[in-house]
């Protein structure tokens, strides 16, 4: 039986990463109102990815595989989501510049139907950012690029000029640890049916 692969996210970056490794998901974003109980970044992203995947999986039966994901940036125990204004983007970038921060992406995979299975995990990547001048911070914040991104930056965009080093999965910082996702799908027996 060929399974429907559904990505419960509107993120073009996540979709692109999946296509890069040969996965062709349908895009059906979750509309769930996000609520978290945890304060730990890895737990937060696992909770949110699970809520998104469950929301979409509830609409599908046998044969669907739903993937939900959520990414946050954390520095000094503080979670940075998406900035709501250019001012907030400036504040976030001021925290990140010259420091090491963590990017956590939580992923939940649900195999819908009678033999329902669910896997949830979180990946962590440490990112070192070069020191930035006030002018560089404001220029980047005003570029518009930070506005739909956790931590107010896109590593695959202009902010690459300020990335000193990465310890962990680069794709995790983009928004989806696609290698781990692929391996989990393989372990669940989803990919064998594609061949």
């Amino acid at each position: 039986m060929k399974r429907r692969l559904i990505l419960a996210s509107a993120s073009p970056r996540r979709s692109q990463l999946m296509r890069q490794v040969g996965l062709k998901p349908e895009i059906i974003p979750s509309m769930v109102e996000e609520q978290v109980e945890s304060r730990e970044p890895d737990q937060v992203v696992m909770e949110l990815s699970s809520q998104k995947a469950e929301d979409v999986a509830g609409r599908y039966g046998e044969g669907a595989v739903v993937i939900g994901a959520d990414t946050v940036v954390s520095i000094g125990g503080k979670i940075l989501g998406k900035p709501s204004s250019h001012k907030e983007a400036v504040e976030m970038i001021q925290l990140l510049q010259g420091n090491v921060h963590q990017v956590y992406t939580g992923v939940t995979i649900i195999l819908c139907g009678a033999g329902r299975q669910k896997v949830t995990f979180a990946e962590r990547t440490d990112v070192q950012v070069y020191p930035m001048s006030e002018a560089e911070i404001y220029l980047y914040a005003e570029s518009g690029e930070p506005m739909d991104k956790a931590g107010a930056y896109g590593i695959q965009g202009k902010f690459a000029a300020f990335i000193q080093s990465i310890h962990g999965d680069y794709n995790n910082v983009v928004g989806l640890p696609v290698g781990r996702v692929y391996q989990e799908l393989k372990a669940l027996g989803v990919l064998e049916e594609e061949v």
Side-chain angles (χ1 to χ4, degrees):
M1 171 183 67
K2 183 135 167 73
R3 294 183 179 270
R4 292 177 68 184
L5 188 60
I6 299 168
L7 179 61
S9 168
S11 164
R13 295 170 293 280
R14 290 190 180 122
S15 170
Q16 185 180 15
L17 284 168
M18 290 185 72
R19 291 179 191 288
Q20 184 180 318
V21 297
L23 302 172
K24 297 175 182 72
E26 292 176 53
I27 310 301
I28 303 172
S30 163
M31 297 303 166
V32 74
E33 191 173 316
E34 299 177 355
Q35 296 177 328
V36 289
E37 293 179 16
S38 180
R39 295 272 178 259
E40 296 300 317
D42 59 335
Q43 296 300 314
V44 167
V45 292
M46 287 195 291
E47 276 183 48
L48 291 173
S49 73
S50 178
Q51 290 171 22
K52 291 174 182 181
E54 290 285 3
D55 175 50
V56 173
R59 304 177 218 163
Y60 296 91
E62 198 73 43
V65 179
V66 177
I67 299 172
D70 194 79
T71 303
V72 298
V73 169
S74 173
I75 183 160
K78 181 179 179 178
I79 294 175
L80 307 180
K82 296 174 183 176
S84 57
S85 66
H86 289 294
K87 181 179 180 290
E88 195 176 3
V90 167
E91 290 166 2
M92 289 183 183
I93 297 163
Q94 285 170 333
L95 285 174
L96 301 180
Q97 67 87 25
N99 290 309
V100 176
H101 64 273
Q102 290 70 46
V103 178
Y104 293 88
T105 299
V107 178
T108 298
I109 302 169
I110 299 175
L111 273 61
C112 302
R116 189 180 199 274
Q117 289 178 273
K118 179 177 175 178
V119 174
T120 300
F121 62 88
E123 282 286 318
R124 168 185 162 164
T125 304
D126 293 337
V127 181
Q128 170 79 52
V129 179
Y130 281 110
M132 296 170 70
S133 69
E134 285 297 299
E136 287 173 326
I137 292 169
Y138 279 93
L139 203 60
Y140 182 72
E142 292 298 320
S143 74
E145 190 175 282
M147 299 317 293
D148 67 337
K149 296 172 183 72
Y153 77 91
I155 196 167
Q156 73 284 16
K158 295 174 187 150
F159 202 76
F162 306 108
I163 302 297
Q164 187 170 347
S165 65
I166 297 172
H167 182 74
D169 183 352
Y170 169 86
N171 291 324
N172 189 49
V173 184
V174 177
L176 190 70
V178 72
R180 174 87 184 265
V181 169
Y182 190 91
Q183 296 304 317
E184 295 287 352
L185 288 170
K186 203 162 78 169
L188 288 166
V190 172
L191 300 182
E192 292 160 17
E193 298 151 13
E194 303 293 314
V195 179

